[in-house]
Amino acid sequence: MRRPHIRGVAVAIAVTTAATGLAGTAFAGPSTGAERSTAAATTNATAVVEAARTAAFAHASATGVSQGDDLHAQDVMLDPEGARHVRFVRTHDGMPVLGGDLIVHLDHKLAFAGVTRAAGHAVKPATTQAKLTADQAAAKAAQAAKGDAGTAQLVVDARDGASALAYQVTVTDEGGSNTVVVDAVTGKVRSNTPDSDEFLSPKLLDSLRKHGETIDPATGSGSAGAAGLLGSGASGATRYPSSAQGTGKTLFVGSVGLTTTATSRGHYQLKDPSRYGTETRDAKGSYTEKFSSGTKFTSTTNVWGNGTTANRASAAADAQYGITKTLDFYKSTFGRKGIANNSKAAQGMVHWGKKVANAFWDPTCNCMLYGDGDGQMFKKPLVVLDVTGHELTHGVVDATAKLEPTHVDRDGNQFGEPGALNESLADIFGSNVEFYAKNAKDTPDYLIGEKLGLAQKFLRRLDHPSLDKLEGTIDYWSPSVYGAEVHAGSGVSSHAYYLLAEGSGKKTINGVNYDSPTYDHSTVKGIGRTKATAIFYRALTRYMVSTTDFHDARIATLKAAKDLYGANSTEYKTVDKAWAAVNVTAANTPAAH
């Protein structure tokens, strides 16, 4: 690995038991990348974890583990072709290690087959004696993030080539929370990063202001149908609660079917029992990060919204539709049961905060939060389908590789390739949610934010990223990409994905015209969206860690293609061609440090 991320991985730190994730043990089919989970696999998974942990210490020169380290399983993946993969987070002398995550790969006989590691160095700090007290560290964190500090926890910061004793502190204010890491010896703030993943970056909002643009997506009613929705409704059921079939009159995708909960005869709640109890609630202008504090949406008609912002349930219908379609995409395509593959509900809160011009995945809430807009530059709630698919994919990344930026500036803009790869994957799978939904009111395409009402007709696009002038998205890799803002840098891997799926040159899909260029003027023939998506998903879940950059992503997708289709396959060769076409090659891989 080259330059590890700087964000405090609070989610990873919380995973400290070897049993974590074992109930959701994943299996991947060789041709589709699909996953299925079985409780019966738990015993087998426990044996795999122990074999992987033993192998990690037996092959310490490769894995980087050492005396004082302990490995805690976060995820276990058992592939039908025989491979086993165990994703670990690490502690050292009982302290969580930031940037210490790794994946141990085993063959079908549980023999060591390799490792993917975030830190390319030993994680043992020079000293384990803190000069700052926990209270002093919390005070410094509060000052840095301008909020209320929680309890400071001693950690080992093994990111960015370092190995230092530090404190990690969560600092909250009414707008959310930040993770602050303070050096326990010098008192220096090592990182200060927002915990939420905002769809619109501060840099983009500033660009919109300079262009005099507003985000004001067109609304309108109409029927989009309810095809593909799960669950059967028995509104006349005599045993409650029960599943019922309702109608969402949304802001952006017309009238859609929604599976809801009949709580009693003639009374309904916007909660889907067929999808683990997935629910959308009303934050009512509060800044709460506790879903339980949101107000339930209830109805006596099982009709939600009226297609306008005047009805508070209209935005909720869009959110619930987008969240359930995203869940359906991941389950139908990969067998993934919920965002964290743990068969738990996905949640959303609309009308969050006061005049909030954004939407984001919040790992503290473990839910989607949607603001109503500021009423000036941002006119409506950002509950568009591909935005929800994009943001919930950040939740999937949080549950797997935990890709993070390498630098965050004082305005909250994030930089660096791992963060850019995170944004790219969110765009890739967000666009796939549209293709899955097949909603006539939101044509499936490789454009992101095409319904936002922008002058350039989209926010980002996968076929030719640099056509986005608002964020200055990048088509091809160069050494300068490492310091690019993450949404701008995301174009590199998004472009590689599009070339893998659809190929280079001109193409019209669902009435949208594409024309994808290549860095080396090569011609790439795509392998199709289904196979390309399977490769990228398998790469994310099996071969990416918190520090994965674009060259690491190339290796990860090549390994995934080899697993699924073979090293001599057209699919494998096309992965290599697609990355070369965006100037990511073995020859120009930056030197490790």
Side-chain angles (χ1 to χ4, degrees):
M1 298 299 148
R2 280 161 287 283
R3 296 180 59 183
H5 67 276
I6 56 81
R7 179 172 172 179
V9 282
V11 177
I13 292 168
V15 182
T16 55
T17 63
T20 299
L22 300 193
T25 301
F27 296 77
S31 61
T32 65
E35 292 186 355
R36 54 187 172 85
S37 298
T38 63
T42 301
T43 301
N44 189 23
T46 301
V48 172
V49 168
E50 290 308 312
R53 184 180 286 111
T54 299
F57 283 94
H59 297 83
S61 60
T63 62
V65 298
S66 61
Q67 186 175 1
D69 288 353
D70 198 2
L71 301 179
H72 309 276
Q74 179 194 16
D75 202 3
V76 183
M77 292 148 284
L78 314 179
D79 301 337
E81 66 270 27
R84 278 82 175 96
H85 316 265
V86 182
R87 187 182 293 275
F88 289 109
V89 293
R90 180 173 8 188
T91 58
H92 182 79
D93 290 342
M95 295 178 289
V97 179
L98 309 184
D101 52 305
L102 66 157
I103 306 169
V104 176
H105 310 291
L106 305 174
D107 65 16
H108 67 287
K109 295 182 179 180
L110 301 187
F112 180 72
V115 65
T116 304
R117 52 191 279 200
H121 56 278
V123 304
K124 183 178 180 179
T127 179
T128 57
Q129 297 299 314
K131 291 187 178 180
L132 269 71
T133 67
D135 287 345
Q136 288 171 328
K140 284 184 175 291
Q143 182 180 20
K146 297 179 175 59
D148 298 322
T151 302
Q153 178 186 20
L154 274 175
V155 299
V156 177
D157 189 356
R159 303 166 301 170
D160 201 20
S163 186
L165 186 68
Y167 286 101
Q168 179 172 265
V169 189
T170 298
V171 180
T172 58
D173 61 19
E174 69 172 13
S177 63
N178 279 36
T179 296
V180 182
V181 178
V182 179
D183 195 292
V185 176
T186 68
K188 177 184 176 181
V189 174
R190 301 178 66 86
S191 61
N192 174 15
T193 308
D195 291 325
S196 61
D197 292 289
E198 295 182 336
F199 184 71
L200 303 175
S201 69
K203 181 181 177 183
L204 173 61
L205 294 173
D206 186 56
S207 180
L208 289 169
R209 292 186 193 98
K210 289 178 179 177
H211 283 76
E213 282 205 56
T214 60
I215 289 183
D216 190 12
T219 57
S221 58
S223 177
L229 288 174
L230 302 178
S232 59
S235 59
T238 57
R239 302 181 68 179
Y240 301 100
S242 65
S243 178
Q245 290 302 314
T247 299
K249 294 190 175 181
T250 69
L251 296 174
F252 301 117
V253 289
S255 181
V256 297
L258 295 174
T259 302
T260 62
T261 298
T263 55
S264 63
R265 187 174 183 85
H267 294 85
Y268 306 93
Q269 183 179 343
L270 192 54
K271 181 177 182 178
D272 189 337
S274 69
R275 296 177 178 85
Y276 327 112
T278 287
E279 182 181 1
T280 299
R281 291 189 177 184
D282 190 344
K284 289 195 170 179
S286 75
Y287 292 91
T288 181
E289 290 184 88
K290 293 182 179 180
F291 183 74
S292 60
S293 297
T295 300
K296 298 175 183 178
F297 278 98
T298 59
S299 169
T300 57
T301 64
N302 212 2
V303 176
W304 310 89
N306 63 2
T308 74
T309 56
N311 188 313
R312 298 184 71 82
S314 297
D318 277 283
Q320 184 77 355
Y321 174 78
I323 292 170
T324 54
K325 279 300 181 186
T326 302
L327 290 176
D328 288 354
F329 159 71
Y330 275 105
K331 185 177 181 181
S332 176
T333 310
F334 308 116
R336 189 175 186 87
K337 295 184 177 181
I339 298 305
N341 199 27
N342 57 4
S343 299
K344 291 187 178 181
Q347 298 167 330
M349 280 197 286
V350 293
H351 311 303
W352 188 83
K354 299 185 186 304
K355 296 187 176 181
V356 173
N358 226 318
F360 47 92
W361 166 257
D362 185 343
T364 301
C365 171
N366 200 35
C367 65
M368 281 292 304
L369 301 176
Y370 303 89
D372 281 332
D374 58 10
Q376 298 176 4
M377 186 177 71
F378 197 115
K379 303 288 187 180
K380 297 184 181 73
L382 200 65
V383 288
V384 179
L385 178 61
D386 61 3
V387 172
T388 295
H390 171 106
E391 291 300 323
L392 285 177
T393 297
H394 283 312
V396 174
V397 174
D398 278 347
T400 53
K402 295 181 178 67
L403 293 158
E404 301 291 356
T406 56
H407 170 65
V408 181
D409 68 17
R410 63 183 58 190
D411 295 321
N413 294 298
Q414 302 181 8
F415 301 84
E417 288 186 23
L421 182 60
N422 192 341
E423 292 300 332
S424 171
L425 292 167
D427 281 353
I428 288 167
F429 293 113
S431 69
N432 269 273
V433 169
E434 276 191 4
F435 279 102
Y436 175 83
K438 298 178 183 177
N439 189 296
K441 296 292 182 179
D442 194 345
T443 303
D445 51 42
Y446 290 103
L447 311 177
I448 302 298
E450 72 278 5
K451 292 183 72 70
L452 299 182
L454 297 169
Q456 65 183 23
K457 307 300 183 185
F458 55 86
L459 179 55
R460 290 184 296 277
R461 58 188 300 153
L462 278 60
D463 66 315
H464 194 166
S466 65
L467 293 179
D468 162 31
K469 304 303 180 183
L470 286 169
E471 293 180 300
T473 309
I474 298 165
D475 287 331
Y476 311 117
W477 183 84
S478 70
S480 64
V481 169
Y482 203 90
E485 192 274 331
V486 292
H487 296 87
S490 71
V492 175
S493 47
S494 293
H495 193 188
Y497 167 83
Y498 177 87
L499 289 167
L500 178 63
E502 302 292 349
S504 57
K506 296 181 178 180
K507 197 166 192 177
T508 301
I509 305 169
N510 292 339
V512 179
N513 296 323
Y514 303 96
D515 190 358
S516 191
T518 59
Y519 177 83
D520 54 1
H521 305 293
S522 63
T523 299
V524 179
K525 183 178 180 181
I527 62 173
R529 182 172 46 80
T530 298
K531 289 182 176 180
T533 304
I535 289 169
F536 268 69
Y537 179 78
R538 190 182 183 95
L540 167 64
T541 54
R542 268 73 171 170
Y543 299 112
M544 291 184 185
V545 289
S546 59
T547 60
T548 298
D549 60 21
F550 292 134
H551 285 81
D552 297 327
R554 171 184 173 271
I555 293 171
T557 50
L558 283 169
K559 287 180 178 179
K562 179 181 178 181
D563 290 348
L564 294 171
Y565 307 109
N568 295 317
S569 65
T570 296
E571 292 83 359
Y572 181 92
K573 295 173 183 176
T574 307
V575 169
D576 196 36
K577 289 179 181 178
W579 283 108
V582 298
N583 198 35
V584 175
T585 67
N588 65 16
T589 301
H593 78 271

